Amino acid sequence: MFVRTFCLSAVAFATLAMTTSHAWAEGFGLGESKEDLKLDYKVSVHDHGTGRVTITFTLADEGRLQPLNSIDFYIPSTDKHKSGGHMADLVLSLATREVDGKQVATIHVKKELIERAEIQLKTSHLDGKQELLTWYYHSIPIAKYMELEEQKQK
């Protein structure tokens, strides 16, 4: 009797689990510029000459993305995922501290990673509106700030 009840319960659970649809939130990269999104941020890169650099990200205004869900340090993978998806070698949510009313995040990484690295501002809101199962991100490539730092030093 116990075996029959157990089997019936297991079949009912399996049927229920297989018929439910899985919903995943979809992320969209925003192609708009910093100015179009009304963002106010500053990125500085300091090369220590040891093969490591310090990146300081200062966000003064979240613009049209407010409120932000996270500020992430992102390094995309060089390998293509077999299913065509986007893989990452590293995704790290940055802890921020408030300095003079601005959010500041600092990260210390190997210089060789800078070429692929970016900071992503992630939100589930755009222009104060929220759509279900949708999130957005604005990418800030770090390589161009490294180039600017190198030009300043010359």
Side-chain angles (χ1 to χ4, degrees), residues 41-71:
Y41 61 79
K42 179 182 169 192
V43 178
S44 64
V45 180
H46 178 71
D47 186 350
H48 297 281
T50 61
R52 299 197 180 270
V53 296
T54 299
I55 303 162
T56 304
F57 176 76
T58 306
L59 180 65
D61 189 354
E62 297 175 355
R64 294 175 45 208
L65 302 182
Q66 111 183 37
L68 286 178
N69 293 3
S70 67
I71 300 172

Side-chain angles (χ1 to χ4, degrees), residues 67-133:
L68 286 178
N69 293 3
S70 67
I71 300 172
D72 293 351
F73 183 72
Y74 176 77
I75 300 176
S77 177
T78 55
D79 299 330
K80 297 290 182 193
H81 190 256
K82 292 179 184 176
S83 68
H86 299 282
M87 298 294 290
D89 282 343
L90 176 70
V91 179
L92 178 68
S93 290
L94 299 177
T96 60
R97 62 189 187 285
E98 190 171 322
V99 177
D100 298 327
K102 301 173 185 175
Q103 294 181 63
V104 179
T106 305
I107 189 162
H108 191 70
V109 296
K110 285 186 167 187
K111 187 175 180 178
E112 63 193 43
L113 298 175
I114 293 298
E115 191 169 308
R116 295 185 290 142
E118 53 189 58
I119 292 175
Q120 291 185 343
L121 305 178
K122 294 183 178 178
T123 186
S124 55
H125 292 76
L126 186 59
D127 295 324
K129 299 174 187 168
Q130 181 179 17
E131 291 189 36
L132 294 176
L133 301 176

